[in-house]
Amino acid sequence: MSQFESEVGDAELDALFAQAREPNEADAGAAERFLAGHRVRVARTQAQIQTRPLWVRPRIPAKWLAAALASAAVIAGVGVLRPSLAPGDLPASAAYAAYQDALGEGW
Amino acid sequence: MRRFSVLALLLCGTAHASDADDLAVALKKARQWTARGQVEVSVFFPPRTLPTRTAAALPAVPFRPALLARNFTVTRSEGEAVAGRPSLRFDLIPKQGAAARWSLWIDRVWNVPLAFEERMPGGTLARRAAFVKVNGALSRVSGQALPPSTGLSAALKTALPGLRLPAGFTPVAARARAAAQEEAQGGTEITLSDGVNVLALIVAPRNVRPAVGVASVRVAGAGGVRFVWLVGNLPDAALKSALQGVRQVDESGLGTFTAAADSNR
């Protein structure tokens, strides 16, 4: 048997635990004070964000912004390059090869 | 005064005709005899990765003397020595259009070419071949006169209505394109010549990307959509203008010529 068990009996322990589980007025007061302070801090942060310029507001994480920009670049690139990437068109070397045939041997 | 002018013009004309005749004689001899040694060959059009290489003889230029005399003013002058051999220089300037101009250096003793040079209308060098070393004697070659192309002009006119051939050019050969050629799946290749320069006119089932010296147009063919390409050393505007009026193609009329060309290959 341990020294703790010798000093505090089972009945006292049960009473102690019951007292800890039941919120008392002191707990409610502390919680209320904390929540009030928290609300004030959140409100202050929101006010600061609203007054910042659009591009520095941390609403959209930077990684999403980078991903969106990369996607836009890919779409724009495909749009611009599409005519030359048309699968049906032969490269200009095909035309030069035909011309080379007509030039005569040895060129 | 007027008489003198007329006389001068006549003399001038005679001189040009004479220069063209002299050149024709040299080119005729070159079908059977050629100099050999070391030749530096440079090609800037069509573009290639390594423009300059060496060869043992001059490359072939499909000269057609009758067309050449019709389309070019030939002027003979003193030529600089080529590979240590004295030469005559012949300058070929197109009488009309924007075709490339040529210079040929003919050996004074052997009367065969020692160097060729093709320049674009602006003066930029397109092709050049010149001996840097020449052997002591000529070599025999089994060259043949280029076959005539009677009836090909009329057939081409029927096959590609609206085609406006660039000034001085006429069709001289036609052949069927092999199916394996750049996945071409058939088609026809027609060679146009002005006596010295050539253009390749191609009817193909696929289009080709535009580039320097390459123009193309989409047309209606018997079996569906076809594309006509025109490739050669002419300004892009001249190439495009030639194809501008082409809307349709009927290759059936060219079949006789392509079959004949194939049997000769």
Side-chain angles (χ1 to χ4, degrees):
Chain A
M1 189 165 278
S2 70
Q3 191 184 356
F4 183 77
E5 281 173 326
S6 64
E7 287 177 3
V8 185
D10 288 347
E12 286 176 352
L13 259 182
D14 285 345
L16 195 64
F17 287 150
Q19 195 182 4
R21 281 197 296 272
E22 284 173 13
N24 53 30
E25 288 209 356
D27 295 335
E32 189 55 43
R33 284 195 300 278
F34 170 78
L35 283 173
H38 177 68
R39 285 187 196 108
V40 168
R41 282 193 297 276
V42 167
R44 196 180 298 145
T45 310
Q46 289 291 335
Q48 281 175 352
I49 288 168
Q50 290 295 333
T51 55
R52 282 182 197 175
L54 191 65
W55 55 90
V56 290
R57 286 183 197 175
R59 286 190 164 183
I60 305 164
K63 63 179 180 181
W64 288 114
L65 196 64
L69 283 172
S71 305
V74 167
I75 290 163
V78 168
V80 168
L81 293 173
R82 193 173 50 180
S84 63
L85 293 175
D89 288 3
L90 292 168
S93 60
Y96 292 141
Y99 179 63
Q100 179 77 36
D101 288 348
L103 283 184
E105 283 180 20
W107 286 106
Chain B
M1 188 66 191
R2 186 176 289 175
R3 278 183 196 165
F4 282 117
S5 307
V6 171
L7 190 63
L9 272 173
L10 279 171
L11 284 172
C12 187
T14 314
H16 282 160
S18 168
D19 291 349
D21 291 346
D22 290 349
L23 178 62
V25 170
L27 295 177
K28 193 176 175 186
K29 187 179 178 185
R31 286 182 201 149
Q32 292 173 331
W33 295 95
T34 183
R36 287 195 179 276
Q38 191 182 333
V39 179
E40 194 175 87
V41 183
S42 297
V43 179
F44 301 100
F45 181 87
R48 52 185 61 170
T49 321
L50 292 171
T52 303
R53 63 184 188 85
T54 52
L58 284 173
V61 178
F63 290 107
R64 292 171 188 271
L67 275 175
L68 190 157
R70 195 181 80 188
N71 291 318
F72 289 86
T73 301
V74 181
T75 314
R76 181 176 53 182
S77 61
E78 282 293 317
E80 59 269 37
V82 179
R85 292 192 63 90
S87 74
L88 283 172
R89 176 178 171 153
F90 289 84
D91 288 309
L92 282 56
I93 309 293
K95 290 177 183 170
Q96 54 174 335
R101 51 196 167 88
W102 284 71
S103 296
L104 284 80
W105 285 261
I106 305 289
D107 190 290
R108 272 183 176 275
V109 180
W110 289 341
N111 204 30
V112 295
L114 294 175
F116 303 131
E117 199 176 88
E118 176 195 7
R119 285 187 181 272
M120 296 176 194
T124 313
L125 187 63
R127 279 186 287 167
R128 186 170 204 276
F131 274 102
V132 286
K133 281 182 195 166
V134 188
N135 294 349
L138 291 180
S139 302
R140 186 96 189 176
V141 287
S142 56
Q144 292 174 346
L146 296 166
S149 52
T150 319
L152 184 55
S153 281
L156 183 61
K157 211 170 269 183
T158 312
L160 281 167
L163 176 70
R164 288 192 305 174
L165 292 177
F169 283 89
T170 188
V172 292
R175 67 185 182 96
R177 275 163 77 74
Q181 214 167 354
E182 311 103 26
E183 308 151 26
Q185 302 151 12
T188 311
E189 199 169 305
I190 295 136
T191 303
L192 310 174
S193 171
D194 64 356
V196 190
N197 298 298
V198 289
L199 300 174
L201 179 72
I202 294 122
V203 180
R206 293 173 68 181
N207 201 2
V208 68
R209 287 176 205 161
V212 175
V214 181
S216 69
V217 67
R218 179 192 164 110
V219 297
V225 174
R226 302 288 270 176
F227 296 90
V228 182
W229 320 345
L230 187 58
V231 191
N233 184 12
L234 274 186
D236 286 350
L239 295 173
K240 281 179 185 161
S241 162
L243 298 178
Q244 206 170 19
V246 185
R247 297 282 178 274
Q248 58 185 37
V249 60
D250 176 14
E251 287 164 272
S252 58
L254 295 168
T256 330
F257 296 95
T258 56
D262 275 350
S263 66
N264 285 341
R265 291 180 81 198

